[in-house]
Amino acid sequence: MRRRDLLQTAGLTFVGLQFGLLAGCGNDSGRSLAVGPDDPEALETLRSLAGRLDGIEFVGPVCVDEVGETEPLDALLERLRATSAQSLENAFSIALEQDFSTGDRIDIAGWQLARTECLLLAAAATNQGLRDPVLAQQGNLRFEDFASIERWGPDETIEGEVFNPIGNGRGGFWIRVAEPVPGSTRLMLDGVELATHFEPGVVTASLEPDHMDRIIATAGMVPLVMVDTARNIAQRVGYLTVRPRPPAAILADGSSSAVFCEVERWGPDHAPKGQAFNEQPDGSAAFWVRIGCAPPGSELVLDGTPLETSVRTGLVSARVPHYAALEAGPHRLTIRDPASGESLEIGIFNVL
Amino acid sequence: MIKDARTDLPDVLEADVAIAGGGPAGIALALELAERGRRVLLIEGGGQQSPNGGTSIYDNTTSGRDYPLTGSRLRWLGGTTNHWGGWVRPFDPRDFTDAPAGDLPGWPITADALTEGYRKAAAWCEVGSADYDTDRIGLERRARLLDLSGTGFEHQVFRFSPPTRFGTRYGAALDEAANIDCRVNLNLVELQQTEDAVQSARAVTLDGAACTLRARQFVIAMGGVENARFLLNQDRIPGNQSDLVGGGFMDHFGFTPGLMLADAGLQYERGQIAGDDLMTVMAPSQGTEGPHSCLLVTSTAPDDVLPPAFWTNRTSGDAPGAHYRISMINAPTAHRQSRISLSADRDRLGLRRPHLHWHLPPTEFEPVIALFERWMDGISARNRARVRWTRQNAPTLADNVGVGYHHMGTTRMAAAPEHGVVDPDGRVWDRENLYIAGSSVYPAAGFANPTLTICALAVRMAAHLDQRLGA
């Protein structure tokens, strides 16, 4: 069995450093932006502000080129003065609004910034010694519990068997959570992000067909992780166990089944007449069959009568509502796959 | 009672109302009429369960922009509710009153006409509440959202059905209703008509058994494509006085124009508000120029050009930031040339197969892009976000465009016969006892998913038919 290391997942190229930068955010130190644009301290206040700007490693240097001002702070101050606002803060807001309202935007790799803020960013880049644009670095995922997981599934399948199928070769997981999780949460299986959806109390996630094929191709244990992509933190959910595929069942004509694995055990194989065998909570009777694989639409058939059947990984069960009417003697139990038409003998159930 | 027509089919089936099509429209209409004591015949071409790929009756051809017509139709009891996602929202009053783009008129009824229908439709779709008023819901108090004041946009919500699979959920009710005769595996193929009425209809099974349907009123509820296809297959095409049977095909189309950097922890996605199953979107307010589309917000991984740290700056958000993907669901425009027509090829029932020409040229995206730009400037000007505009140009005809699988408009409702196929009651203009139910009657569609309105119209049609049938 293969065991994959969760730490491998932790090293994924995902999310990053940014959360760390948020710690202690809110640059309240330094000069107040309450000074007016005409105040003698205005220029120095803007310079101080520019020196404290974060997250500008890429856009700052680009703004230097885009605005083309040798003294961007002077140009900025001139804009702010034109607003007639009484404080730098208000002036900046007004200028920003005017820029966006009039389409005076600077496009940086698609990001639409106001010319006014680009002037500030250009000054900031110069002030901070940023010459060439640098993309933000992605950091390591760190592990921390952020969701209250109650139950999840499925936690096992067998080689080649799509688990929890939802059609078109896709399958997926469900996770019951006690509290809503952040919208930035994604499930990751074996390091691959899954399409993640939220319903009240439940997070679901599905695998694309190619990913599913890869996962179920080999027996082993595959780590399932829940990641808050915005904060770059992860929480272990558990492992999906892919069990080795049991041998194919042998059909009545001696050929190998294309859909059923060997039956491991089944029961009950006998019961007194009129007795609810393997009695269920509602008083009815039921068969169980431990079988390595069976298609989801399979049904147990007793003497040619299909039974209401439930198929789970490794287990097929069916209620027998008419148990009281079964005559004494042998009754033939089979399992049938309507899609392929294959039928496999389970055994003889004897009513005593 | 539900019966399989392949094993139980008399020569003649009779009812007050004969409904062809066992999707949400047909099932809701049948049960509403039965509740009023009417004798109803409901026939469904498929069976009670998935045919597991046996839908060759639905084979088709397409032209124009690529459209997944085969995969978007389901042929068994419950129709496309067997694969819907459960998104639910009524059309807005403005969807009924605003003049749509294009040269075809909009709804001939107002939202008020569907008030009762929407109330009951919420129950049919098993939605916990019929309230979509964001003030009454207390949305902006309960969820952390962008402040949209002054932007020309507002918040709206979708609710969610479980999703109700109508065939499974209401199968027992159909089976137990003494005045409903529901036959599965029975296909409507022909209307026997006079100049202004349907006298009877012929229905067949795939193995060749046939029967005559007699009823005082006939309703076609076979789906947004099939309704038009069936009418077009008749020797005398009902309601085609203006060549609009099949014309005006619409679907909600998607567009993902960019990313947003804004406050961390925004709660737009489903499952984010405790105690209510809601998803919040942004939509243009009344008076904002452009299509009645909506913007969806989905959390995504941080961007490396403008990282979250940028949002902590005092001149931007002055708060922890996070990135969100912005995608749009767009109101389609009805065009005559976007239409269902018939190909020469015939199916096993002898009916000519449908051909869809989907007319969604790049120019249809221009107002969508302009709307997005309007939102972007509004939200940026008020310093509530910065936006990365990644799709500034319209998709070419070769580009794949996401669709809602919502087939609408092919038997459109209109105030006058020259503009549509059915009248405001859903009656085919030139047939006194032939009605069409379902999303094919929509002349306009806003951004809301169609199922709730399908049910609301079915509820309204049931009341109308009951009144017409009299004592």
Side-chain angles (χ1 to χ4, degrees):
Chain A
M1 268 205 191
R2 175 187 47 165
R3 178 186 166 121
R4 292 181 179 132
D5 193 344
L6 266 175
L7 292 176
Q8 219 175 349
T9 306
L12 293 166
T13 55
F14 207 81
V15 202
L17 179 66
Q18 292 87 349
F19 183 67
L21 295 175
L22 297 188
C25 66
N27 299 297
D28 290 331
S29 60
R31 294 163 187 269
S32 165
L33 293 182
V35 300
D38 292 319
D39 190 290
E41 286 192 21
L43 191 63
E44 206 45 47
T45 301
L46 288 175
R47 200 183 312 280
S48 170
L49 174 68
R52 301 193 307 271
L53 292 184
D54 274 340
I56 63 163
E57 291 77 4
F58 192 97
V59 293
V62 175
C63 277
V64 171
D65 291 339
E66 288 288 336
V67 299
E69 296 280 354
T70 50
E71 295 294 340
L73 280 187
D74 290 342
L76 171 62
L77 194 55
E78 193 177 324
R79 278 182 165 241
L80 299 182
R81 283 176 178 149
T83 66
S84 305
Q86 297 303 304
S87 70
L88 285 176
E89 186 148 31
N90 287 345
F92 196 88
S93 294
I94 292 169
L96 195 78
E97 182 164 5
Q98 285 173 348
D99 287 353
F100 282 114
S101 301
T102 58
D104 194 3
R105 302 182 300 235
I106 306 281
D107 184 322
I108 301 177
W111 284 102
Q112 305 297 308
L113 302 181
R115 182 168 294 278
T116 298
E117 72 184 330
C118 218
L119 286 166
L120 181 63
L121 296 179
T126 306
N127 181 311
Q128 296 181 25
L130 305 172
R131 294 180 184 280
D132 297 315
V134 176
L135 294 172
Q137 294 299 304
Q138 296 174 340
N140 291 330
L141 201 62
R142 61 193 169 79
F143 281 84
E144 175 186 316
D145 285 359
F146 63 92
S148 176
I149 297 173
E150 295 177 330
R151 298 195 306 279
W152 69 279
D155 60 0
E156 66 170 12
T157 187
I158 61 169
E159 275 180 290
E161 199 82 5
V162 172
F163 54 89
N164 195 14
I166 53 174
N168 300 330
R170 291 176 171 81
F173 296 98
W174 54 266
I175 296 182
R176 291 209 69 89
V177 288
E179 301 289 336
V181 296
S184 47
T185 300
R186 300 290 180 266
L187 279 172
M188 296 175 78
L189 182 68
D190 202 29
V192 176
E193 185 177 331
L194 310 183
T196 307
H197 305 281
F198 309 96
E199 296 172 30
V202 185
V203 180
T204 60
S206 59
L207 285 73
E208 290 297 314
D210 288 352
H211 186 201
M212 174 64 81
D213 289 346
R214 232 174 22 252
I215 292 294
I216 62 178
T218 319
M221 294 175 74
V222 191
L224 181 66
V225 177
M226 190 180 253
V227 180
D228 180 348
T229 57
R231 294 183 292 163
N232 204 21
I233 57 176
Q235 177 172 347
R236 295 173 181 85
V237 176
Y239 288 90
L240 172 77
T241 301
V242 183
R243 294 195 286 116
R245 190 173 188 85
I250 304 300
L251 301 176
D253 63 2
S255 64
S256 291
S257 170
V259 294
F260 295 118
C261 297
E262 276 182 2
V263 173
E264 296 165 16
R265 304 188 301 280
W266 70 279
D269 60 0
H270 67 278
K273 187 172 187 309
Q275 182 177 312
F277 50 89
N278 185 21
E279 188 172 352
Q280 300 298 294
D282 64 357
S284 66
F287 286 116
W288 56 266
V289 179
R290 292 290 310 183
I291 183 169
C293 62
S298 301
E299 53 190 18
L300 291 179
V301 178
L302 185 65
D303 295 335
T305 303
L307 304 175
E308 183 189 330
T309 304
S310 161
V311 180
R312 290 160 49 199
T313 303
L315 178 68
V316 177
S317 57
R319 305 171 94 78
V320 187
H322 61 296
Y323 70 89
L326 293 176
E327 296 292 337
H331 297 269
R332 184 174 165 231
L333 184 66
T334 57
I335 185 168
R336 187 166 69 100
D337 170 35
S340 65
E342 267 196 22
S343 198
L344 174 67
E345 299 288 336
I346 302 291
I348 297 298
F349 173 67
N350 283 301
V351 175
L352 307 174
Chain B
M1 182 71 76
I2 301 179
K3 295 174 183 167
D4 191 330
R6 295 173 302 184
T7 54
D8 185 351
L9 188 65
D11 292 337
V12 177
L13 288 167
E14 285 189 84
D16 294 327
V17 181
I19 303 166
I27 289 175
L29 180 60
L31 289 168
E32 286 276 339
L33 284 165
E35 194 179 295
R36 291 169 167 85
R38 300 300 178 184
R39 281 190 314 134
V40 180
L41 172 64
L42 174 64
I43 69 169
E44 162 58 39
Q48 278 190 265
Q49 303 296 331
S50 164
N52 288 320
T55 55
S56 62
I57 289 279
Y58 278 177
D59 286 353
N60 59 79
T61 52
T62 62
S63 59
R65 190 178 288 278
D66 273 354
Y67 191 91
L69 192 56
T70 304
S72 56
R73 306 165 75 202
L74 296 180
R75 186 180 162 79
W76 76 92
L77 196 64
T80 48
T81 63
N82 288 304
H83 72 179
W84 75 315
W87 292 34
V88 162
R89 175 177 171 76
F91 286 156
D92 285 13
R94 63 179 288 188
D95 293 327
F96 291 95
T97 53
D98 286 4
D103 58 356
L104 290 167
W107 287 90
I109 58 175
T110 64
D112 289 345
L114 287 179
T115 303
E116 175 64 5
Y118 276 131
R119 192 185 63 76
K120 294 187 82 171
W124 284 113
C125 295
E126 301 178 284
V127 186
S129 167
D131 198 352
Y132 295 83
D133 185 305
T134 53
D135 288 338
R136 277 201 303 270
I137 293 169
L139 182 70
E140 291 177 0
R141 175 174 45 79
R142 294 167 64 191
R144 184 175 165 86
L145 303 170
L146 289 169
D147 175 2
L148 294 182
S149 55
T151 64
F153 287 76
E154 62 192 19
H155 287 120
Q156 300 286 355
V157 292
F158 279 90
R159 290 190 178 276
F160 292 88
S161 166
T164 304
R165 311 289 181 209
F166 273 60
T168 307
R169 173 65 182 83
Y170 298 114
L174 292 171
D175 202 35
E176 288 161 12
N179 48 350
I180 293 181
D181 183 350
C182 177
R183 305 269 168 165
V184 294
N185 294 305
L186 186 59
N187 303 273
L188 187 67
V189 291
E190 185 185 359
L191 299 175
Q192 277 100 32
Q193 310 173 71
T194 63
E195 281 298 317
D196 60 0
V198 176
Q199 288 183 310
S200 62
R202 191 168 68 89
V204 300
T205 65
L206 284 179
D207 43 19
C211 82
T212 298
L213 313 183
R214 293 201 181 118
R216 292 167 66 188
Q217 307 291 341
F218 291 84
V219 181
I220 311 298
M222 296 157 64
V225 173
E226 210 63 8
N227 283 352
R229 178 204 178 202
F230 172 77
L231 294 184
L232 290 169
N233 261 290
Q234 303 308 301
D235 288 341
R236 280 189 299 188
I237 302 171
N240 204 30
Q241 61 284 342
S242 303
D243 190 29
L244 278 168
V245 173
F249 174 88
M250 300 180 285
D251 194 348
H252 295 114
F253 58 98
F255 189 59
T256 302
L259 295 180
M260 167 177 84
L261 171 62
D263 287 356
L266 295 180
Q267 296 172 303
Y268 281 85
E269 294 174 71
R270 187 182 179 190
Q272 298 289 293
I273 303 175
D276 228 341
D277 193 3
L278 297 172
M279 183 183 71
T280 305
V281 299
M282 291 177 272
S285 306
Q286 187 82 41
T288 296
E289 190 187 339
H292 193 214
S293 302
C294 72
L295 294 95
L296 280 67
V297 179
T298 314
S299 289
T300 192
D303 180 85
D304 52 10
V305 171
L306 200 67
F310 181 82
W311 201 243
T312 65
N313 293 322
R314 189 162 171 185
T315 47
S316 47
D318 200 14
H323 288 85
Y324 304 87
R325 185 185 312 116
I326 304 294
S327 50
M328 299 175 76
I329 300 173
N330 296 297
T333 300
H335 295 284
R336 282 175 180 271
Q337 67 267 46
S338 193
R339 68 165 51 224
I340 297 291
S341 58
L342 299 180
S343 68
D345 191 24
R346 291 181 185 270
D347 66 18
R348 287 172 63 190
L349 300 168
L351 298 176
R352 289 169 63 192
R353 295 189 184 280
H355 175 86
L356 169 65
H357 179 78
W358 190 28
H359 179 73
L360 188 72
T363 49
E364 292 288 299
F365 290 84
E366 289 168 6
V368 169
I369 292 169
L371 183 72
F372 175 76
E373 189 175 7
R374 211 163 282 129
W375 170 81
M376 178 178 77
D377 282 338
I379 206 83
S380 302
R382 280 147 196 85
N383 211 5
R384 289 168 199 149
R386 291 293 182 278
V387 177
R388 187 175 196 177
W389 194 3
T390 54
R391 291 290 302 262
Q392 301 189 20
N393 298 312
T396 68
L397 268 180
D399 290 334
N400 187 47
V401 169
V403 294
Y405 287 10
H406 307 150
H407 308 145
M408 303 177 288
T410 57
T411 63
R412 61 196 344 265
M413 182 185 283
E418 57 267 34
H419 295 131
V421 176
V422 301
D423 73 7
D425 292 319
R427 184 180 66 85
V428 176
W429 275 107
D430 57 4
R431 299 291 185 274
E432 66 178 28
N433 64 342
L434 179 61
Y435 288 79
I436 310 268
S439 56
S440 65
V441 305
Y442 298 1
F447 64 79
N449 291 47
T451 305
L452 192 74
T453 303
I454 288 174
C455 293
L457 283 166
V459 169
R460 180 170 176 266
M461 184 177 282
H464 169 81
L465 288 173
D466 185 52
Q467 194 175 27
R468 277 202 73 187
L469 288 164

